[in-house]
Amino acid sequence: MDLLQRLGRALDRPLFPWKKLIVGFSIAQYLFEGFLSLRQYQILKQTKPPKVLQKEVSQEVFDKSQAYGRAKAKYGLISGLYGQIQNTAFIYYDVLPKLWSLTGSWLLRYAPARFSGEISHSIVFVLTFIVIQQVLSLPTSIYKTFVLEEKFGFNKQTPKLFVEDILKGQMLAFVLTPPILAGFLAIVQKTGNKFFYYLWMFGAGLQVFMITIYPITILPLFNKLSPLEPGELKTGVEGLAARLKFPLHELYVIDGSKRSAHSNAYFFGMPWKKHIVIYDTLIEKSEPEEVVAVLAHELGHWSLGHTTKLFGISQAHFFYIFALFSVFINNQSLYQSFGFHKEFPIIIGFILFSDALAPMDTVIKLLMNILSRRYEFQADEFAQNLGYSTELARSLIKLQIQNLSTMDADWMYASYHFSHPILTERLGALGWYGDKPASIPEVKVEDVSKASGREL
C-alpha cells in the first residue's frame, strides 16, 4: 500500500504532458501495427501455397484466400486509421470534459434531485458515450458486413437483422451498464485506499455471474439453440465426453448460418455442468468424426486445465489493473491534462488510466498470445493421443479452405496478432506433411465458412 501511494504521488507532477504522452503512445502503436500489416501483406501476395498444403489446396482456392486476406488487410489499415483519427480528435478537442458537462446539465434539467450524484452522472455519461461510439462505428461495420464479407460469400445478414442486432446490443448495454457501473463506483467511493481488493472480488464475482446468465438470457436474444438430434455425431460426442469424464449436461446446435457462413464449436458452463455448442455450418461442412475431432481438441483445453489457468491469469490481470488504478485515481495532473480542472470523476480517471496503460497492455497481449499458442499445440496433442490425429488434420485443412483463412503468415505479424499457431505449424506438430491428402469436397466461394468466436 505505501509503495502504491508513494508511486501515485511521484506520478502526480504538475504540467506533466500526459495528453501528448498518451497520444504519442496511441500513434506509435498504430504505426507499429501498420508496419506489421505491411509485412503480412507481402506474404499475402505469394502465388503458391505452402508445400504442406499443395496437395490439399487448389490454386483457385489459394488465390481466393490470398485475395480475401489482402482485402481484410486493407480494411484493417483504413479502419484503424479511422479509429486513430477519432481517438486523437476526442483528445485534442476535449470531448470527454464537454460530454461530462453536457450529461451533467441533462441530469440537472430532467432528473430528480436524488439522481444528481456522481454515480448517476457517470451512468448517463457512459451510456451516452456508448451510443456515440456505436454511431461512429457504423460506417466501418456496414462496409465490413455488406461489402467485404459479402464479396467473399461470408455474409448472411440482412439489413433488418443487422439493425436488430445493434438495437439488441444497445438494449443490453442500457440494462447491464447501470448496475455494474454503480457497483464499481460505490466500491471505490466507500472502501478507501484499499478499494482495489474489493474491485477485484467484485470483478471475479461478475465474471462467474455472466458465465451463468449468458446462455440463459443473452445468447437467446441473438441465436437459437436446439438439441442435437440423435445420430452418429451425437453418439460420438457423448462417447468422447464420457471417456474424458467431461460433465456434459446439454449438447446444442446453434443457428449461426442465419448471420454468416462462419462456423465454430465451443463449450461453456460451470465446472460441474457444461454445455457443448456446435454451429450448424460446421455440421453441414464436416464429417461426424471430424466434428468429434474438433471437440476432442476443445475438450483437451478443459482436461489440461487451460480454461482454469486462463481464468486464474485473468483474475491476476484484473488485480494488477485495479492496483495500478489506485496509483492514478487521485492524479490531478492527469485529469487536468484532459480538461478536468474542478471535477475529478472516478470513471473519467479509469478511462484515462486505461489509455495510459495501453503500452503495457500491448506487452501483456503479446505474452498471452505466446501462452495461447502453446495451449493450442497441447490441445492438438491431446486430441492426437486420443486417436484423432488424421481426423483433426483433415478438419483443420477443411476449415482452412472453407474459411479462405490465411495459409501462411509473417513471423512477426503472427507473434503479435495470432492467438493460434498457423495451419502449417499445427499440421507439422500432428505429423501431417501432405503425403496423405484429405478428402475435401470442392468448395465454392458462397459456401465458405470462417471460424468465429473462439477459433480452433
Side-chain angles (χ1 to χ4, degrees), residues 201-263:
M201 290 187 284
F202 175 73
L206 182 61
Q207 274 190 295
V208 174
F209 174 72
M210 293 303 296
I211 289 172
T212 304
I213 70 165
Y214 174 78
I216 301 171
T217 60
I218 298 177
L219 185 59
L221 293 174
F222 299 92
N223 290 97
K224 180 181 178 181
L225 294 177
S226 305
L228 179 63
E229 295 181 359
E232 182 182 353
L233 177 57
K234 184 174 183 179
T235 301
V237 175
E238 289 178 340
L240 175 66
R243 181 180 176 185
L244 300 176
K245 297 182 180 180
F246 179 77
L248 177 61
H249 182 70
E250 295 288 350
L251 187 53
Y252 294 113
V253 178
I254 191 170
D255 61 340
S257 58
K258 79 175 186 179
R259 283 182 177 77
S260 73
H262 301 356
S263 62

Side-chain angles (χ1 to χ4, degrees), residues 32-84:
F32 175 68
E33 291 179 354
F35 164 72
L36 295 181
S37 294
L38 292 176
R39 287 179 61 97
Q40 176 65 7
Y41 198 84
Q42 298 308 307
I43 301 294
L44 295 170
K45 291 165 67 175
Q46 293 176 353
T47 57
K48 295 293 182 183
K51 186 175 180 180
V52 70
L53 296 176
Q54 287 179 0
K55 292 182 180 180
E56 322 297 341
V57 179
S58 69
Q59 188 63 44
E60 180 185 6
V61 169
F62 180 73
D63 290 343
K64 291 173 183 175
S65 170
Q66 293 290 83
Y68 182 49
R70 291 193 297 270
K72 288 192 296 181
K74 292 175 183 177
Y75 167 80
L77 283 170
I78 294 172
S79 63
L81 178 60
Y82 176 62
Q84 186 62 48

Side-chain angles (χ1 to χ4, degrees), residues 235-358:
T235 301
V237 175
E238 289 178 340
L240 175 66
R243 181 180 176 185
L244 300 176
K245 297 182 180 180
F246 179 77
L248 177 61
H249 182 70
E250 295 288 350
L251 187 53
Y252 294 113
V253 178
I254 191 170
D255 61 340
S257 58
K258 79 175 186 179
R259 283 182 177 77
S260 73
H262 301 356
S263 62
N264 198 11
Y266 61 91
F267 66 86
F268 63 87
M270 304 305 289
W272 56 88
K273 186 179 180 181
K274 298 289 188 182
H275 309 269
I276 291 178
V277 178
I278 308 172
Y279 275 57
D280 54 357
T281 45
L282 180 62
I283 295 174
E284 179 186 350
K285 301 296 181 181
S286 305
E287 299 298 326
E289 63 270 17
E290 294 169 348
V291 178
V292 174
V294 167
L295 290 171
H297 167 94
E298 292 298 327
L299 298 192
H301 287 300
W302 169 81
S303 183
L304 296 169
H306 294 165
T307 50
T308 303
K309 292 172 185 175
L310 289 175
F311 181 80
I313 291 172
S314 73
Q315 296 312 306
H317 187 220
F318 274 134
F319 187 82
Y320 142 81
I321 288 175
F322 293 143
L324 278 184
F325 179 44
S326 71
V327 172
F328 285 85
I329 189 170
N330 296 314
N331 190 319
Q332 293 189 14
S333 65
L334 177 62
Y335 283 98
Q336 291 168 355
S337 291
F338 287 85
F340 290 87
H341 299 284
K342 296 181 179 179
E343 293 183 273
F344 308 105
I346 295 169
I347 189 61
I348 295 297
F350 191 73
I351 292 172
L352 298 180
F353 159 72
S354 299
D355 288 338
L357 197 65

Side-chain angles (χ1 to χ4, degrees), residues 145-146 155-164 258-259:
T145 302
F146 295 106
N155 178 49
K156 303 298 179 184
Q157 275 192 304
T158 62
K160 178 183 177 181
L161 186 58
F162 180 83
V163 172
E164 287 178 353
K258 79 175 186 179
R259 283 182 177 77

